[in-house]
């Protein structure tokens, strides 16, 4: 959430940022309500001061035996006006907060400006796509022939967008989770968290999923809960409405399943594992002091990249432009893996700096060096998402006979198994 004072003081910059994002926001209506609220608060405070002064005067007149009917009548009128102003100011404040919840974050000054992903900036490319001496198959064909993922039965029980991992296929999924958790906890200094897989409206609002992305969430209205779309939600909300006591930075990593309806994704890739309603993810979340957050973002991207380097998969890093940024992000890097069976790059991680946008919504603060409380900066990134990583492993490590070589880094997690056939 943006600070109202920031919007007032930096109106031109905020308008330009929203324009670069292509965001439709009633900024004029917001500023008008804010003006009315501030004027109303000022008038109410002036009247309350008058009431206190006149009340003392009435007391003095009564003690002197003088008539107090006139000032008492004035105080009745003042009291009625104060009550009306207080009620109106509460309504205006609620309206202001409702609008603020719909305004996306302001992009960082160095974010490339553009309307959509075509303006995203290439940062680096690591590794060369494999040169096959046969026609590479898609992960769907490979998985079905090896009988390690059953798409048909998953669809029959849950519908499209779900998968049933079997045997060695299920073990590969579990191996990847353990492999990534070990790297991040043992080498990158993250504390492992196992959070709930459902969160309430306040938590979803705190990280920015609500109200913007309500149609993409799996809701349980009878309980007031939502299935989480990412571990970012429960892990960030661990500290909601708190002043953090532990020294910063705080690093957490969590494995969770993730659930997304993706109501707006009709017509996109639906066959196989590329676009799922349920998928596993290892998520990285950091809470840092504001002056360190952009250096931390670069470090966070490196933590996600390390997973792909050890799996020896070709990948690239791109910085998202203003029109492609997520609602809450001020700056974001996407990491994409090459999938030769699909001849496409697949996003497996988005690493974002939200600055104080989430912390302000969720009221997460810390004490700075001067002992004053201020909002932390929050960051998160997938370290990494499993379904598309699974796709990339099958398609990059396939052989002409349809078998899959297990990446060397995963062999110990697969009980010594080196080939799936």
């Amino acid at each position: 959430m943006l600070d109202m004072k920031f919007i007032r003081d930096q109106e031109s910059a905020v308008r330009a940022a929203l324009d670069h994002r292509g965001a439709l926001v009633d900024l004029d209506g917001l500023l008008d309500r804010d003006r009315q609220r501030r004027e109303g608060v000022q008038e109410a405070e002036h009247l309350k001061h008058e009431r206190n002064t006149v009340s003392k005067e009435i007391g003095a007149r009564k003690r002197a035996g003088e008539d107090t009917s006139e000032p008492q009548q004035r105080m009745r009128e003042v009291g009625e006006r104060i009550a009306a102003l207080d009620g109106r100011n509460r309504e205006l404040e609620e309206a202001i907060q409702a609008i603020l919840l719909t305004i996306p974050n302001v992009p960082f000054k160095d974010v490339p400006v553009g309307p959509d992903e075509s303006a995203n900036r290439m940062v680096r490319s690591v590794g060369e796509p494999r040169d096959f001496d046969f026609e590479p198959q898609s992960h769907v064909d490979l998985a079905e022939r090896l009988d390690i993922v059953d798409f048909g039965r998953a669809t029959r029980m849950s519908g499209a967008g779900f998968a049933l991992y079997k045997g060695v296929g299920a073990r590969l999924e579990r191996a990847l989770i353990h492999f990534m958790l070990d790297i991040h906890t043992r080498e990158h200094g993250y504390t492992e968290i196992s959070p709930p897989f459902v969160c309430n409206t306040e938590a979803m609002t705190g990280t920015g999923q609500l109200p913007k992305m309500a149609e993409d969430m799996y809701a349980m209205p009878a309980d007031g809960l939502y299935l989480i779309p990412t571990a970012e939600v429960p892990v960030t909300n661990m500290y909601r409405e708190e002043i953090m006591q532990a020294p910063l930075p705080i690093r957490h990593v969590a494995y969770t399943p993730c659930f997304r309806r993706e109501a707006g994704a009709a017509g996109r890739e639906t066959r196989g594992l590329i676009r799922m309603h349920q998928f596993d993810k290892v998520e990285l979340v950091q809470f840092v002091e504001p002056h360190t957050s952009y250096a931390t973002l670069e470090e966070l991207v490196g933590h996600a990249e390390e997973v792909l380097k050890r799996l020896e998969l070709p990948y690239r890093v791109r910085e998202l432009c203003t029109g492609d940024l997520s609602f809450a992000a001020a700056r974001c890097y996407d990491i994409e893996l090459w999938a030769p069976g699909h001849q496409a790059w697949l996003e497996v991680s988005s690493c974002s700096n939200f600055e104080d946008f989430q912390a302000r919504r969720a009221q997460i603060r810390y004490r700075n060096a001067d002992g004053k409380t201020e909002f932390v900066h929050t960051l998160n990134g997938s370290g990494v998402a499993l379904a598309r990583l699974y796709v990339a492993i099958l398609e990059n490590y396939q052989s002409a006979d349809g078998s899959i070589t297990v990446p060397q880094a995963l062999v110990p997690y697969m009980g010594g198994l080196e080939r799936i056939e």
Side-chain angles (χ1 to χ4, degrees):
M1 178 186 293
L2 300 183
D3 180 32
M4 193 64 234
K5 184 177 184 303
F6 171 78
I7 295 174
R8 284 197 304 270
D9 295 346
Q10 304 291 330
E11 180 184 344
S12 296
V14 172
R15 287 189 185 277
L18 295 177
D19 183 59
H20 291 158
R21 272 184 169 272
L24 299 176
V25 175
D26 183 14
L27 204 60
D28 290 330
L30 174 65
L31 290 167
D32 183 57
R33 287 177 175 86
D34 177 62
R35 177 188 56 77
Q36 292 180 52
R37 185 192 63 82
R38 286 185 292 120
E39 289 175 353
V41 168
Q42 186 176 23
E43 182 182 351
E45 288 176 349
H46 174 75
L47 290 172
K48 288 172 184 177
H49 176 72
E50 179 186 349
R51 182 172 61 183
N52 291 337
T53 301
V54 175
S55 293
K56 293 177 183 177
E57 179 187 332
I58 291 172
R61 284 193 180 190
K62 284 182 176 179
R63 286 191 295 272
E66 298 177 4
D67 179 32
T68 60
S69 58
E70 183 178 338
Q72 284 180 327
Q73 175 60 30
R74 169 62 180 161
M75 285 305 93
R76 282 192 289 272
E77 294 171 356
V78 166
E80 291 171 358
R81 178 60 178 163
I82 289 172
L85 284 169
D86 286 346
R88 176 59 175 157
N89 291 338
R90 282 193 297 271
E91 292 175 0
L92 287 167
E93 182 60 32
E94 290 173 0
I96 288 168
Q97 292 301 311
I99 296 174
L100 286 173
L101 287 175
T102 68
I103 299 177
N105 205 351
V106 171
F108 182 62
K109 59 183 175 62
D110 291 341
V111 170
V113 175
D116 52 42
E117 62 182 14
S118 64
N120 292 346
R121 180 174 66 88
M122 180 65 68
V123 177
R124 57 184 166 272
S125 180
V126 178
E128 293 294 328
R130 177 181 167 188
D131 186 17
F132 289 85
D133 57 6
F134 59 91
E135 186 69 27
Q137 301 178 56
S138 77
H139 73 281
V140 178
D141 295 331
L142 292 164
E144 288 181 336
R145 290 178 184 175
L146 292 169
D147 196 29
I148 59 174
V149 183
D150 193 326
F151 297 104
R153 285 191 171 95
T155 299
R156 195 166 70 221
M157 70 175 76
S158 303
F162 296 89
L164 177 68
Y165 297 89
K166 298 172 59 180
V168 177
R171 182 162 191 172
L172 177 60
E173 176 86 344
R174 175 161 53 91
L176 285 166
I177 294 167
H178 289 178
F179 167 67
M180 288 187 282
L181 287 174
D182 283 350
I183 289 177
H184 298 314
T185 56
R186 295 176 182 177
E187 301 179 29
H188 296 155
Y190 290 83
T191 298
E192 185 175 350
I193 304 295
S194 182
F197 299 162
V198 296
C199 278
N200 58 26
T201 299
E202 292 77 11
M204 299 288 281
T205 302
T207 43
Q209 277 71 29
L210 293 179
K212 173 69 174 177
M213 293 170 280
E215 67 172 6
D216 288 336
M217 303 297 109
Y218 279 102
M220 297 179 284
D223 302 302
L225 297 171
Y226 295 82
L227 295 175
I228 61 170
T230 165
E232 167 198 343
V233 178
V235 176
T236 303
N237 277 279
M238 284 173 60
Y239 303 101
R240 190 175 87 234
E241 299 174 0
E242 289 187 19
I243 298 174
M244 304 179 81
Q245 301 302 317
L248 301 180
I250 291 176
R251 296 176 174 178
H252 289 328
V253 60
Y255 152 72
T256 66
C258 305
F259 304 88
R260 299 182 187 177
R261 290 182 60 240
E262 303 215 59
R268 302 181 71 175
E269 176 70 63
T270 57
R271 186 168 180 256
L273 299 173
I274 290 178
R275 187 160 295 277
M276 306 292 291
H277 292 313
Q278 176 186 328
F279 58 96
D280 290 331
K281 191 148 65 91
V282 171
E283 191 78 358
L284 308 173
V285 177
Q286 292 206 38
F287 305 84
V288 304
E289 295 185 63
H291 70 276
T292 68
S293 65
Y294 279 101
T296 300
L297 177 60
E298 302 300 325
E299 178 186 59
L300 183 69
V301 175
H303 293 163
E305 285 184 82
E306 186 61 29
V307 171
L308 309 182
K309 288 177 180 177
R310 296 196 189 186
L311 293 174
E312 301 180 80
L313 292 167
Y315 70 89
R316 67 185 188 183
V317 179
R318 296 201 301 165
E319 181 177 5
L320 302 193
C321 71
T322 53
D324 203 25
L325 278 176
S326 70
F327 177 80
R331 190 176 203 174
C332 179
Y333 295 101
D334 272 3
I335 304 176
E336 301 173 333
L337 283 175
W338 177 245
H342 283 73
Q343 290 292 294
W345 292 95
L346 305 178
E347 176 203 324
V348 293
S349 178
S350 285
C351 297
S352 301
N353 184 359
F354 305 108
E355 297 186 355
D356 66 359
F357 189 83
Q358 291 181 327
R360 192 176 295 278
R361 292 168 76 101
Q363 292 295 300
I364 305 172
R365 295 171 293 163
Y366 79 107
R367 295 193 186 279
N368 62 24
D370 296 326
K372 297 179 180 178
T373 60
E374 61 178 298
F375 292 110
V376 300
H377 278 198
T378 60
L379 303 95
N380 88 280
S382 303
V384 296
L386 268 291
R388 293 178 181 180
L389 176 60
Y390 201 100
V391 169
I393 288 173
L394 296 191
E395 294 190 4
N396 280 282
Y397 279 94
Q398 64 180 293
S399 300
D401 62 1
S403 62
I404 309 295
T405 300
V406 175
Q408 196 60 41
L410 292 180
V411 170
Y413 293 88
M414 294 289 289
L417 183 69
E418 296 184 343
R419 184 173 292 276
I420 302 171
E421 50 188 359

